[in-house]
Amino acid sequence: MYAEQRQARILAEINETGGARITDLGHRLGVSGVTARRDVEALAGRGLVARVRGGAMALTPGPALAAGPGPGPHRARVAIAAAAARLVRPGEAIGILAGRTTLLLARELLDVPGLTVVTNALDVADAFHHGGRPGQTVVLLGGIRTRSGALTGPVAERTAAGLNLDVVFLGVHGMAARSGFTTPDLAEARTGAALVAAARRTVVLADHGKWGVRSAAMIAPLDGADVLVTDAGLSRPARSVLRQRVGRLLVADVP
């Protein structure tokens, strides 16, 4: 990813959430803390964010830098999660991998009766524990906890290998024609691939900003997705590629 692309995504996130830590930005972008710090300092030098200890904050009011066409990241993720939730039927066994968009999906599914939910995300399990309906079953994969709160490693992979799921939902760090659906964490990629192998259908949740982003580890190739749920900001060339490669391209309506 070019520096301009990283900085646009950083600015969009800071303006959306009000602020961000350097370490979190580096993890989400798949770059070192030094690189993320330089990007933040570049934005601060242009008067676009306020530099604070350990991170940056949005300016109120402040100038905006468009990260690309389409809706803001959070609104896009909310719409994508709602569209993906409509693919779930009562009584199904589903997998939900760790991620910001998949957590929003979990919250959309709290009222669906009879679900069996398998997840490697502590926050997804907590969402169902505190807000789910009676009769839902939540299976939390064991393993080693990563910085993002995901459980990974041989224990998680062996548990996933013994399951039979109707559908698995995964969020990704990036997607591209050659590298497929990727994440910067190798262990999370292996756990994700294990759950994908255990499911009859794979649904990927990815906003338009993920297109063209390549990370170190592939979870699945593009043609491994039965459904890709994205938003209207996805460019026409990207849609053309994805319609040829994924089973179904579902574009969520963002209010």
Side-chain angles (χ1 to χ4, degrees), residues 35-198:
T35 299
R37 184 178 296 107
R38 288 174 180 167
D39 287 336
V40 167
E41 289 172 350
L43 291 170
R46 293 157 59 191
L48 298 174
V49 300
R51 184 77 165 89
V52 297
R53 183 178 178 85
M57 296 182 64
L59 299 174
T60 308
L65 173 67
H74 181 70
R75 286 196 301 138
R77 288 193 290 267
V78 170
I80 289 169
R86 292 191 285 271
L87 302 175
V88 178
R89 299 291 177 265
E92 286 190 319
I94 67 173
I96 302 179
L97 284 158
R100 287 179 292 177
T101 311
T102 49
L103 176 59
L104 294 171
L105 168 67
R107 293 169 180 166
E108 293 281 343
L109 299 176
L110 297 180
D111 288 329
V112 179
L115 288 182
T116 297
V117 180
V118 178
T119 184
N120 71 328
L122 298 173
D123 50 9
V124 168
D126 283 342
F128 281 99
H129 176 73
H130 294 295
R133 291 180 54 155
Q136 292 176 332
T137 301
V138 179
V139 178
L140 184 61
L141 297 178
I144 301 168
R145 181 175 179 174
T146 67
R147 290 181 298 173
S148 63
L151 299 176
T152 64
V155 173
E157 293 166 31
R158 285 197 297 269
T159 303
L163 300 173
N164 292 294
L165 303 176
D166 293 299
V167 58
V168 64
F169 295 90
L170 63 141
V172 297
H173 180 267
M175 56 179 174
R178 295 186 62 181
S179 55
F181 300 108
T182 57
T183 176
D185 192 297
L186 298 175
E188 289 189 30
R190 289 193 295 267
T191 302
L195 271 181
V196 167

